Amino acid sequence: MGLVGEANSLETTNSIFVQQLNPAANHKVICAIDFGTSGIGYSYAFTKPNSEIDPRSEVFPNKPWPLTEEGKTSTSIVLKNDECVAFGKRASEFMSSKVRSNQRNEYQYFHNFKMQLYMFDTISNLTMLKDLQTGVELPAVDVIGECLKQAKKAFMDQISLAAAGTGYISDSDVLWVVTVPAIWKDGAKKVMRESAIRGGLINSTSSSSLLLVLEPEAASVWCLMNQHFKLNRGDIYVVVDCGGGTVDVTVHEITDENKSQVKEAIPVSGGDWGSTAIDRSFFQFIKDIVGTPKYDLFTKDSRAHLQLREEWEKRKCSFEDDDTETTISLPQILTNDYDALEAAIESYNQSNVPAIQLDSYQLILSAESMRKLFMQTIDKIVNHIDDIYQRNSQAKSIVIVGNFANCKSIQKAFRHKFEHKRVSIIVPPNPGTCVVNGAVLVAHRPSAITEHISRFSYGGAITDKYDPKVHVPSPYRVMITSDIDGTERVRSCMDWFVRVGEKMQYGKAITRTYLPSSSKQSAISVQFYETSSTDVIYASDPRCKLLGKISTQNLDYEQIRDQGVKYHILFGASEIHVISEDPKGNKHE
């Protein structure tokens, strides 16, 4: 652990973070993978060192997946002995066949599992994902890694044909981009990097061949470059990325006359209000009808659960928010006692409006009943955006992207809420591709996002000289006496680099110089923490969360006593990068 000897102010460090600031420079092609809760797909473009990528003609989609016409395939995977057996929509069909032949327990089936990462408070490479039917758990990095491996394989097959006239494309020629929700914490992003190693995209977590891009920012840049709205420098707009698991919101201000760069106007926000939240409402609706004992039996029947989930998915996606009734076929386990089901529905209708009907083993839901299921989630989204608008009433446009943006109910709700406020509601063409296409553009020119606002405070744990005005008594304060000069020191003090709400410019970094706190030191180690609190003093405070540790080893005490070790910390992008520099000029990330 080090002692702060010098705290340099914000400074440009382009010479240190060359690869991080120009990730596409040493690559021939960019492949962006949109790893969503409900679907996964990719887009790609060939890099152009001295010019911009034309979004209309030079960004290409993935080829059709098996059983899929175009766009994304399902984020579903079947594993056996840690190897992929079926992926995408094939995974669902494969499991249906295994359920029919009573071979379900031989396989692990993961579907819509990305939301498990959002639900965990603390994420690491030890985080486990659960097959919700069998209860079997596997490491998240293995499950996600296998999905990324399948996306990589599909892309490399496609690019080998697309690049036939331009030469062979190897793995090292590809800058991989993986999109992540803006509201994810740094631990979840770290899992994605570990997963990328497992999937064969990169060979180390510090590789500059992988870039994580925030989903709503990618969509914002795509819409800006395609001129989906007519705004000018200084104008503010809101991007609402409505995905399968989460809804991410970013508020951007255009910063240049060419309308090619933006900055955050307020920190990103969002919640677990994606389209799968409607699924949860539907299955809770079924539970309310049949009762807990019957529902628990149903959830243990893999075949029945899969059948109803697929049936609901079809009906959900085809709902047009008109006056048409929706018919849902129920699995046999819920209808084998037909009289009991009729009685359950009659009991449900006595205390719930609108009423539902049963006809030949099918539920009949009115349009009003369907809207009720949808609006439980949509109201949360609209109310959140309205709260943002109340605090930022200068916003001129609200842009809704993501596959969930195709939902007629959500479009109607936004127009009803905001159009009288003279805010234009924009749903761009193919809203489900805005994120993945925009991620390609962001990777090619990350400086399109010129400034972020920090959601957390970030700092390093150090041993500091005791100052009674700063180091107030606390259960977390640990006092020691220095063997260098006999002065009192305090261990695990937080040296804050960035505070909550602070603006972070792209391409700028914080530099700290740390000196040894003991004459016996031949290394200087710094642990990095984050917190959403504003009054934390000591790293051992439970409100701090450890992000990682960088240790510079095999140092000469005489040198570091006077010169210390410099730590350059790059903020302002989707990830935090740290490079240490010892007195001899050796750098380590």
Side-chain angles (χ1 to χ4, degrees), residues 150-174:
Q150 299 306 310
K152 175 186 174 180
K153 182 179 183 300
F155 168 71
M156 295 305 292
D157 289 345
Q158 183 174 356
I159 199 66
S160 65
L161 298 175
T166 60
Y168 174 72
I169 298 293
S170 68
D171 286 10
S172 61
D173 293 324
V174 182

CSV table of all heavy atoms in Angstrom, one decimal, residues 150-174:
chain,number,residue,atom,x,y,z
A,150,GLN,N,-20.0,-18.7,-30.0
A,150,GLN,CA,-20.8,-19.0,-31.1
A,150,GLN,C,-21.0,-17.8,-32.0
A,150,GLN,O,-21.1,-17.9,-33.2
A,150,GLN,CB,-22.2,-19.4,-30.6
A,150,GLN,CG,-22.2,-20.7,-29.7
A,150,GLN,CD,-21.5,-21.9,-30.4
A,150,GLN,OE1,-21.8,-22.2,-31.6
A,150,GLN,NE2,-20.5,-22.5,-29.7
A,151,ALA,N,-21.1,-16.6,-31.4
A,151,ALA,CA,-21.2,-15.3,-32.2
A,151,ALA,C,-19.9,-15.1,-33.0
A,151,ALA,O,-19.9,-14.7,-34.2
A,151,ALA,CB,-21.5,-14.2,-31.3
A,152,LYS,N,-18.8,-15.4,-32.3
A,152,LYS,CA,-17.5,-15.2,-33.0
A,152,LYS,C,-17.4,-16.2,-34.2
A,152,LYS,O,-17.0,-15.8,-35.3
A,152,LYS,CB,-16.3,-15.5,-32.1
A,152,LYS,CG,-15.0,-15.5,-32.8
A,152,LYS,CD,-13.9,-15.9,-31.8
A,152,LYS,CE,-12.5,-16.0,-32.6
A,152,LYS,NZ,-11.4,-16.4,-31.7
A,153,LYS,N,-17.8,-17.4,-34.0
A,153,LYS,CA,-17.7,-18.4,-35.1
A,153,LYS,C,-18.6,-18.0,-36.3
A,153,LYS,O,-18.2,-18.1,-37.4
A,153,LYS,CB,-18.2,-19.8,-34.6
A,153,LYS,CG,-18.1,-20.9,-35.6
A,153,LYS,CD,-18.6,-22.2,-35.0
A,153,LYS,CE,-18.4,-23.4,-36.0
A,153,LYS,NZ,-19.2,-23.1,-37.3
A,154,ALA,N,-19.8,-17.5,-36.0
A,154,ALA,CA,-20.7,-17.1,-37.1
A,154,ALA,C,-20.1,-15.9,-37.8
A,154,ALA,O,-20.1,-15.9,-39.1
A,154,ALA,CB,-22.1,-16.7,-36.5
A,155,PHE,N,-19.5,-15.0,-37.1
A,155,PHE,CA,-18.9,-13.8,-37.7
A,155,PHE,C,-17.7,-14.2,-38.6
A,155,PHE,O,-17.5,-13.7,-39.7
A,155,PHE,CB,-18.5,-12.8,-36.7
A,155,PHE,CG,-17.6,-11.7,-37.3
A,155,PHE,CD1,-18.1,-10.7,-38.1
A,155,PHE,CD2,-16.2,-11.6,-37.0
A,155,PHE,CE1,-17.3,-9.7,-38.7
A,155,PHE,CE2,-15.4,-10.6,-37.5
A,155,PHE,CZ,-16.0,-9.7,-38.4
A,156,MET,N,-16.8,-15.0,-38.0
A,156,MET,CA,-15.6,-15.4,-38.8
A,156,MET,C,-15.9,-16.1,-40.0
A,156,MET,O,-15.3,-16.0,-41.1
A,156,MET,CB,-14.6,-16.2,-37.9
A,156,MET,CG,-14.1,-15.4,-36.7
A,156,MET,SD,-13.2,-13.9,-37.1
A,156,MET,CE,-11.8,-14.5,-38.0
A,157,ASP,N,-17.0,-17.0,-40.0
A,157,ASP,CA,-17.5,-17.6,-41.2
A,157,ASP,C,-18.0,-16.6,-42.2
A,157,ASP,O,-17.7,-16.7,-43.4
A,157,ASP,CB,-18.6,-18.6,-40.9
A,157,ASP,CG,-18.1,-19.8,-40.1
A,157,ASP,OD1,-16.9,-20.1,-40.1
A,157,ASP,OD2,-18.9,-20.6,-39.5
A,158,GLN,N,-18.7,-15.6,-41.7
A,158,GLN,CA,-19.2,-14.6,-42.6
A,158,GLN,C,-18.1,-13.7,-43.2
A,158,GLN,O,-18.1,-13.4,-44.4
A,158,GLN,CB,-20.3,-13.8,-41.9
A,158,GLN,CG,-21.0,-12.7,-42.8
A,158,GLN,CD,-22.1,-12.0,-42.0
A,158,GLN,OE1,-22.4,-12.3,-40.9
A,158,GLN,NE2,-22.7,-11.0,-42.7
A,159,ILE,N,-17.2,-13.3,-42.4
A,159,ILE,CA,-16.2,-12.3,-42.8
A,159,ILE,C,-15.2,-13.0,-43.8
A,159,ILE,O,-14.6,-12.3,-44.6
A,159,ILE,CB,-15.4,-11.7,-41.6
A,159,ILE,CG1,-14.7,-10.4,-42.0
A,159,ILE,CG2,-14.4,-12.7,-41.0
A,159,ILE,CD1,-15.6,-9.3,-42.4
A,160,SER,N,-15.0,-14.3,-43.7
A,160,SER,CA,-14.1,-15.0,-44.6
A,160,SER,C,-14.6,-14.9,-46.0
A,160,SER,O,-13.8,-14.8,-47.0
A,160,SER,CB,-14.0,-16.4,-44.2
A,160,SER,OG,-15.2,-17.1,-44.3
A,161,LEU,N,-15.9,-14.8,-46.2
A,161,LEU,CA,-16.5,-14.6,-47.5
A,161,LEU,C,-16.6,-13.1,-47.9
A,161,LEU,O,-16.2,-12.7,-49.0
A,161,LEU,CB,-17.9,-15.2,-47.5
A,161,LEU,CG,-18.1,-16.7,-47.3
A,161,LEU,CD1,-19.5,-17.1,-47.2
A,161,LEU,CD2,-17.3,-17.5,-48.3
A,162,ALA,N,-16.9,-12.3,-46.9
A,162,ALA,CA,-17.0,-10.8,-47.2
A,162,ALA,C,-15.7,-10.2,-47.5
A,162,ALA,O,-15.6,-9.2,-48.3
A,162,ALA,CB,-17.7,-10.1,-46.0
A,163,ALA,N,-14.6,-10.7,-47.0
A,163,ALA,CA,-13.3,-10.2,-47.2
A,163,ALA,C,-12.5,-10.9,-48.3
A,163,ALA,O,-11.3,-10.7,-48.4
A,163,ALA,CB,-12.5,-10.2,-45.9
A,164,ALA,N,-13.2,-11.7,-49.0
A,164,ALA,CA,-12.5,-12.5,-50.0
A,164,ALA,C,-11.6,-11.7,-51.0
A,164,ALA,O,-10.6,-12.1,-51.4
A,164,ALA,CB,-13.5,-13.4,-50.8
A,165,GLY,N,-12.1,-10.5,-51.3
A,165,GLY,CA,-11.4,-9.6,-52.2
A,165,GLY,C,-10.4,-8.7,-51.6
A,165,GLY,O,-9.6,-8.0,-52.3
A,166,THR,N,-10.3,-8.7,-50.2
A,166,THR,CA,-9.5,-7.8,-49.5
A,166,THR,C,-8.4,-8.5,-48.8
A,166,THR,O,-7.5,-7.8,-48.1
A,166,THR,CB,-10.3,-6.9,-48.6
A,166,THR,OG1,-10.9,-7.7,-47.6
A,166,THR,CG2,-11.3,-6.1,-49.3
A,167,GLY,N,-8.3,-9.8,-48.8
A,167,GLY,CA,-7.3,-10.5,-48.1
A,167,GLY,C,-7.8,-11.2,-46.9
A,167,GLY,O,-9.0,-11.0,-46.4
A,168,TYR,N,-7.0,-12.1,-46.3
A,168,TYR,CA,-7.4,-13.0,-45.2
A,168,TYR,C,-7.6,-12.1,-43.9
A,168,TYR,O,-6.8,-11.2,-43.6
A,168,TYR,CB,-6.4,-14.1,-45.0
A,168,TYR,CG,-6.6,-14.9,-43.8
A,168,TYR,CD1,-7.7,-15.8,-43.7
A,168,TYR,CD2,-5.8,-14.8,-42.6
A,168,TYR,CE1,-7.9,-16.6,-42.6
A,168,TYR,CE2,-6.0,-15.6,-41.5
A,168,TYR,CZ,-7.0,-16.5,-41.5
A,168,TYR,OH,-7.2,-17.2,-40.4
A,169,ILE,N,-8.7,-12.4,-43.2
A,169,ILE,CA,-8.9,-11.7,-41.9
A,169,ILE,C,-8.6,-12.7,-40.8
A,169,ILE,O,-9.3,-13.8,-40.7
A,169,ILE,CB,-10.3,-11.2,-41.8
A,169,ILE,CG1,-10.6,-10.1,-42.8
A,169,ILE,CG2,-10.6,-10.6,-40.4
A,169,ILE,CD1,-9.8,-8.9,-42.7
A,170,SER,N,-7.7,-12.5,-39.9
A,170,SER,CA,-7.4,-13.3,-38.8
A,170,SER,C,-8.0,-12.8,-37.5
A,170,SER,O,-8.5,-11.7,-37.5
A,170,SER,CB,-5.9,-13.4,-38.6
A,170,SER,OG,-5.3,-12.2,-38.1
A,171,ASP,N,-8.0,-13.6,-36.4
A,171,ASP,CA,-8.5,-13.1,-35.2
A,171,ASP,C,-7.9,-11.8,-34.7
A,171,ASP,O,-8.6,-10.9,-34.2
A,171,ASP,CB,-8.3,-14.2,-34.1
A,171,ASP,CG,-9.2,-15.4,-34.2
A,171,ASP,OD1,-9.9,-15.5,-35.3
A,171,ASP,OD2,-9.2,-16.2,-33.3
A,172,SER,N,-6.6,-11.7,-34.9
A,172,SER,CA,-5.9,-10.5,-34.4
A,172,SER,C,-6.3,-9.2,-35.2
A,172,SER,O,-6.0,-8.1,-34.8
A,172,SER,CB,-4.4,-10.7,-34.4
A,172,SER,OG,-4.0,-10.9,-35.8
A,173,ASP,N,-6.9,-9.4,-36.4
A,173,ASP,CA,-7.3,-8.3,-37.2
A,173,ASP,C,-8.6,-7.6,-36.7
A,173,ASP,O,-9.1,-6.6,-37.2
A,173,ASP,CB,-7.5,-8.7,-38.6
A,173,ASP,CG,-6.2,-9.0,-39.3
A,173,ASP,OD1,-5.2,-8.4,-39.0
A,173,ASP,OD2,-6.2,-10.0,-40.1
A,174,VAL,N,-9.3,-8.3,-35.8
A,174,VAL,CA,-10.7,-7.9,-35.4
A,174,VAL,C,-10.6,-7.2,-34.1
A,174,VAL,O,-10.1,-7.6,-33.1
A,174,VAL,CB,-11.6,-9.2,-35.2
A,174,VAL,CG1,-13.0,-8.7,-34.9
A,174,VAL,CG2,-11.6,-10.0,-36.5
